[in-house]
Amino acid sequence: MNNLSRRDFIKLFTNALFSLGGLLGLVGLFRYFDYYPPEAPVEFDLGNIADFPIGSRTVRSDIPAVINNVDGKIIAQSLVCTHLGCTVAESVTGFDCPCHGSRFDENGNVLAGPAQKPLKTLRVELSEDGRVKLHTKG
């Protein structure tokens, strides 16, 4: 390598840069395919039962769910549209999906498509100390 011409040096340097760029790209690609998103919580503590008086309707956008107290029984429904998973917004007639126009009544039943299924009912537990727990799965 004592007799390395300028042309050979530039060729060697260019090949080294391309090789390094390709290697960095492959590392990034492997990291991309190895990504596991953090799991969303499946249980939420909604507070005390006294926070939900009889006849109340509470919309929680952080879960997203609506919690109803119907004659002393806590009922929760998901606010995720059954069509493509958008979060529905509260309206005068119930809930409207801003993505594709599905409409649901206040009980989660479909009023207008493209959604075919009603909003999902979520499991609610009342603990011994009077706390309301909402389960989004199962």
Side-chain angles (χ1 to χ4, degrees), residues 18-39:
F18 279 129
S19 298
L20 180 65
L23 185 64
L24 289 175
L26 283 175
V27 168
L29 187 66
F30 285 132
R31 288 190 64 197
Y32 173 78
F33 285 121
D34 194 42
Y35 175 73
Y36 292 102
E39 289 192 26

Side-chain angles (χ1 to χ4, degrees), residues 34-132:
D34 194 42
Y35 175 73
Y36 292 102
E39 289 192 26
V42 294
E43 183 178 312
F44 296 90
D45 184 2
L46 299 178
N48 200 314
I49 187 72
D51 297 338
F52 304 99
I54 294 177
S56 69
R57 176 178 169 175
T58 307
V59 175
R60 295 279 303 262
S61 59
D62 59 329
I63 296 176
V66 60
I67 297 94
N68 298 311
N69 187 338
V70 181
D71 298 326
K73 182 177 181 188
I74 302 291
I75 300 171
Q77 288 180 313
S78 173
L79 291 180
V80 176
C81 182
T82 55
H83 176 235
L84 288 178
C86 297
T87 301
V88 297
E90 192 172 20
S91 70
V92 177
T93 59
F95 301 98
D96 294 339
C97 179
C99 297
H100 299 104
S102 294
R103 292 179 40 230
F104 302 90
D105 66 10
E106 64 276 352
N107 296 321
N109 298 315
V110 179
L111 295 176
Q116 301 294 316
K117 299 177 184 174
L119 295 175
K120 180 182 172 187
T121 301
L122 303 173
R123 185 168 56 102
V124 178
E125 287 181 358
L126 185 60
S127 64
E128 294 174 3
D129 60 348
R131 308 283 298 170
V132 179

